[in-house]
Amino acid sequence: MKNMKLGPDLFRSNELRAHIDGVFHMLVDTDSELNPSIPGQMKHLGADLYVPCNMQAFSIAVKEVPGLVIACIEVDYVPQLRDFVVSKFFLGASENTTNEAKPLDIDGETMRRFPIERYKRRVIQNWILQDLGMNRTPRWWLWENVMRWSDPTRHVRGAGLLDLERTARIYVAARYGDRDAHEAVADAFGISKSTAGRWIKKARDIGYIDNIPVY
C-alpha cells in the first residue's frame, strides 16, 4: 500500500500546471504520465475527452456529514472491469472543527450510507481533460474549467460543426456528472431539450461522440 499523502507539493503542483491548463484551482494529483500513447495511462471517454487512469483528489467536504472531509480519495480505471473503482479512501475532520466541537461519530451505519459512488463520479468529473494535441503546450485543458468560464450561447440557427463538437464534449462529460445530458447541452446553447436531442444525434451521426480528431 502506498503511503498516504494529502496533496501535491509545490513542485508537483507546478509540474501539473505545465501539462494541464486550468488545474491551478484544484487540489489533485495523478500517477499517470498523461500520455494516451502509453497503454494504461489515459482512458478515452469519447469526443476528445480523457481522464488519467489514476486520479487523486484531496480535502473534499462531505455535505452529508458536517465537519467531515475526504482527506484523500484515489480512483483507478480497471480495464478488466471496464469501470472506475475507488482504490484509496481516507476520512478526516474539517480544519474548521474546533477543539470544543463534539468528536465526529462515524459508525458502521453511517459508512454504509456514505455515497461513495457520488464522490467517485465527482473525482472523475473534475479530472476530465480535453486533448488539444500533442504539439500544444500545455496539451491538456481541464474541461470543468472550460465549462466554468463559458457563458451560454443562444442560437437562433442550426448547429455548425464547432457547435456539434462542443455538443459531443458536453454530452460525453455529462455521463460522469449529476445532470441530464440533454439538459446540459440545452443550457450551454440556450436551446430546448428537444433541439439538444437533435444536436446530440447529429454529433453522434458524424462520429463526434466517439471521437473528435485532434491534430
Side-chain angles (χ1 to χ4, degrees):
M1 180 175 178
K2 291 179 289 186
N3 293 329
M4 177 181 172
K5 62 179 180 181
L6 297 179
D9 58 22
L10 181 59
F11 177 82
R12 178 57 179 162
S13 294
N14 289 334
E15 190 176 44
L16 287 171
R17 293 187 187 107
H19 291 88
I20 306 170
D21 188 1
V23 77
F24 53 88
H25 72 283
M26 297 178 63
L27 193 57
V28 295
D29 203 352
T30 177
D31 291 339
S32 169
E33 296 183 29
L34 301 176
N35 185 347
S37 299
I38 302 176
Q41 294 297 304
M42 303 289 287
K43 167 62 178 171
H44 181 223
L45 302 179
D48 51 6
L49 302 182
Y50 291 77
V51 293
C53 287
N54 170 268
M55 294 166 279
Q56 303 160 24
F58 308 92
S59 191
I60 302 174
V62 178
K63 295 181 180 180
E64 295 80 5
V65 184
L68 187 68
V69 297
I70 299 174
C72 170
I73 181 171
E74 191 163 340
V75 178
D76 292 314
Y77 179 73
V78 180
Q80 295 87 343
L81 301 177
R82 297 185 179 181
D83 198 5
F84 298 92
V85 300
V86 175
S87 57
K88 183 185 291 185
F89 182 68
F90 292 105
L91 294 173
S94 168
E95 292 181 357
N96 296 326
T97 302
T98 64
N99 293 331
E100 290 77 20
K102 294 181 179 179
L104 296 171
D105 184 13
I106 307 300
D107 56 16
E109 178 61 24
T110 300
M111 290 306 301
R112 282 191 292 273
R113 292 187 290 107
F114 192 87
I116 188 66
E117 184 70 19
R118 181 185 307 167
Y119 286 95
K120 181 184 81 171
R121 290 172 67 86
R122 178 175 170 183
V123 172
I124 297 170
Q125 185 180 33
N126 289 344
W127 257 112
I128 295 175
L129 306 176
Q130 181 182 347
D131 187 4
L132 302 180
M134 60 185 302
N135 295 322
R136 293 282 297 273
T137 303
R139 174 174 182 170
W140 302 102
W141 198 354
L142 192 70
W143 178 246
E144 183 195 27
N145 208 46
V146 175
M147 295 302 295
R148 185 192 301 269
W149 300 108
S150 297
D151 294 326
T153 304
R154 188 160 299 279
H155 279 61
V156 295
R157 297 183 178 180
L161 289 179
L162 291 179
D163 297 322
L164 294 179
E165 286 186 1
R166 188 160 185 250
T167 294
R169 295 182 187 112
I170 295 170
Y171 177 82
V172 168
R175 295 171 178 168
Y176 300 93
D178 53 7
R179 297 188 63 196
D180 175 76
H182 290 69
E183 182 180 292
V185 172
D187 288 349
F189 290 100
I191 56 179
S192 68
K193 286 184 68 173
S194 59
T195 300
R198 290 193 292 271
W199 287 23
I200 291 169
K201 183 179 184 304
K202 289 180 180 178
R204 180 180 286 108
D205 290 344
I206 293 175
Y208 284 168
I209 299 293
D210 293 328
N211 182 57
I212 295 176
V214 179
Y215 302 100

